[in-house]
């Protein structure tokens, strides 16, 4: 495991289960919510996940299972790859209470065994802001290409690169073309009381430009079918997220 992954693993295994309870509720209650309308839980990419029954789906950096479990309820065979045992705990409990099942592999995505998983999946699904946890985008996309069956689809829904460098009034926030690896707060740190935030480990982040993302996808030999940009939750006039649909 490389240094960045080790740093991020330590961070995401620090009180993550407690955070999911705080934000999403107990897995038993969250499962009831998901079962009411699994497809709605998929949000922006759901239009590209219409027919997943009997499909093998890899949910990379699948976190607490909030997307894997709806996909499983829709009939897919879902395997989550994620660094955090805390995330795994919540995800497995969520699947149990939703009366479905998912496979959950804890480890570094870079270390996925291609002898076991190469050309296995019909769909790769990455969402929720994961690219910044990887220091080598070309290496990541090459691995993802190897996981996918010929003719398979990758759905990548991530934070828009402009989000990190522009405020809502379009004033500058950070340098867009920055290539450094940064130390930052774990995403859920501020859900905890201020006096408890001192002990939280930092994460290691590498922010990418839109051209870096698209060129890594092209270099890995994916065929791009569609690219969409999405406003924020309050309909802000800058893109907060994007969805990229590609084929092998």
């Amino acid at each position: 495991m490389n240094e960045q992954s080790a740093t991020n693993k330590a961070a995401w295994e620090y009180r993550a289960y407690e955070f999911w309870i705080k934000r999403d509720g107990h897995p038993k209650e969250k499962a009831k919510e998901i079962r009411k309308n699994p497809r709605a839980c998929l949000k922006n990419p759901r239009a590209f996940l219409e027919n997943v029954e009997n499909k093998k789906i890899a949910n990379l950096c699948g976190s607490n299972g909030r997307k894997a479990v709806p996909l499983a309820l829709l009939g897919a065979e879902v395997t989550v790859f994620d660094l955090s045992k805390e995330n795994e705990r919540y995800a497995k409990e969520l699947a149990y209470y939703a009366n479905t099942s998912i496979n959950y592999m804890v480890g570094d995505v870079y270390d996925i065994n291609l002898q076991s998983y190469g050309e296995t999946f019909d769909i790769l699904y990455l969402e929720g802001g994961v690219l910044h946890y990887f220091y080598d985008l070309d290496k990541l996309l090459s691995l993802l290409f190897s996981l996918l069956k010929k003719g398979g689809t990758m759905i990548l829904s991530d934070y828009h690169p402009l989000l990190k460098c522009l405020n809502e009034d379009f004033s500058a926030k950070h340098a867009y073309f920055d290539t450094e690896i940064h130390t930052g707060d774990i995403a859920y740190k501020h859900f905890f009381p201020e006096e408890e935030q001192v002990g939280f480990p930092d994460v290691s982040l590498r922010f990418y430009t839109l051209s870096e993302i698209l060129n890594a996808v092209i270099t890995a030999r994916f065929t791009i079918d569609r690219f969409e940009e999405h406003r924020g939750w309050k309909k802000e006039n800058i893109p907060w997220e994007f969805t990229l649909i590609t084929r092998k």
Side-chain angles (χ1 to χ4, degrees):
M1 183 177 293
N2 67 70
E3 183 178 350
Q4 186 189 28
S5 296
T7 297
N8 291 332
K9 179 177 176 62
W12 275 100
E13 289 187 340
Y14 186 81
R15 301 181 71 175
Y17 180 85
E18 188 178 348
F19 159 66
W20 295 124
I21 295 288
K22 282 177 175 287
R23 200 195 76 168
D24 292 348
H26 189 278
K28 186 174 184 179
E29 298 307 311
K30 184 65 175 177
K32 290 179 182 178
E33 176 189 329
I34 290 173
R35 285 186 62 86
K36 289 178 183 177
N37 191 346
R39 190 170 301 283
C41 300
L42 302 176
K43 297 187 177 178
N44 286 330
R46 66 180 177 270
F48 306 103
L49 291 162
E50 287 292 333
N51 301 301
V52 298
E53 190 170 1
N54 298 320
K55 300 291 187 182
K56 290 188 175 183
I57 300 179
N59 185 198
L60 287 302
C61 302
S63 191
N64 71 338
R66 64 187 182 276
K67 297 297 188 292
V69 169
L71 288 168
L73 288 169
L74 293 170
E77 180 185 333
V78 187
T79 301
V80 176
F81 296 93
D82 194 274
L83 280 171
S84 172
K85 285 186 173 296
E86 290 262 309
N87 287 347
E88 178 192 33
R89 177 185 173 190
Y90 191 99
K92 285 188 171 180
E93 290 180 11
L94 186 62
Y96 171 79
Y97 286 114
N99 196 28
T100 190
S101 62
I102 59 174
N103 304 311
Y104 205 108
M105 308 300 296
V106 176
D108 191 348
V109 168
Y110 285 131
D111 295 334
I112 293 174
N113 186 339
L114 292 180
Q115 288 189 335
S116 299
Y117 293 105
E119 298 188 338
T120 295
F121 298 102
D122 300 292
I123 299 171
L124 306 183
Y125 183 37
L126 299 88
E127 63 84 34
V130 302
L131 294 182
H132 53 228
Y133 291 116
F134 296 93
Y135 72 97
D136 188 336
L137 205 54
D138 287 326
K139 181 178 179 181
L140 173 65
L141 269 296
S142 177
L143 171 69
L144 297 180
F145 189 84
S146 298
L147 294 173
L148 202 58
K149 293 178 180 177
K150 187 175 182 180
T153 299
M154 179 176 72
I155 300 170
L156 171 61
S157 187
D158 210 280
Y159 297 139
H160 199 289
L162 285 177
L163 182 63
K164 72 176 175 67
C165 65
L166 290 179
N167 293 304
E168 291 182 26
D169 62 358
F170 296 100
S171 60
K173 183 166 61 174
H174 297 296
Y176 184 72
F177 292 101
D178 182 10
T179 61
E180 300 298 315
I181 293 179
H182 295 270
T183 297
D185 291 338
I186 187 73
Y188 55 85
K189 177 178 178 178
H190 299 288
F191 277 78
F192 289 82
E194 189 172 347
E195 63 272 16
E196 296 180 25
Q197 294 177 19
V198 177
F200 274 74
D202 289 329
V203 290
S204 180
L205 306 172
R206 163 65 160 94
F207 298 107
Y208 295 98
T209 66
L210 189 55
S211 61
E212 285 179 311
I213 295 168
L214 293 175
N215 284 328
V217 169
I218 293 167
T219 300
R221 295 181 288 129
F222 284 100
T223 298
I224 297 174
D225 281 346
R226 192 170 182 85
F227 177 78
E228 294 190 349
E229 297 171 294
H230 312 291
R231 296 175 183 264
W233 301 308
K234 298 178 181 179
K235 302 301 181 184
E236 291 84 353
N237 202 32
I238 60 172
W240 276 45
E241 297 178 341
F242 70 87
T243 299
L244 184 63
I245 309 300
T246 70
R247 285 180 294 108
K248 180 173 180 177

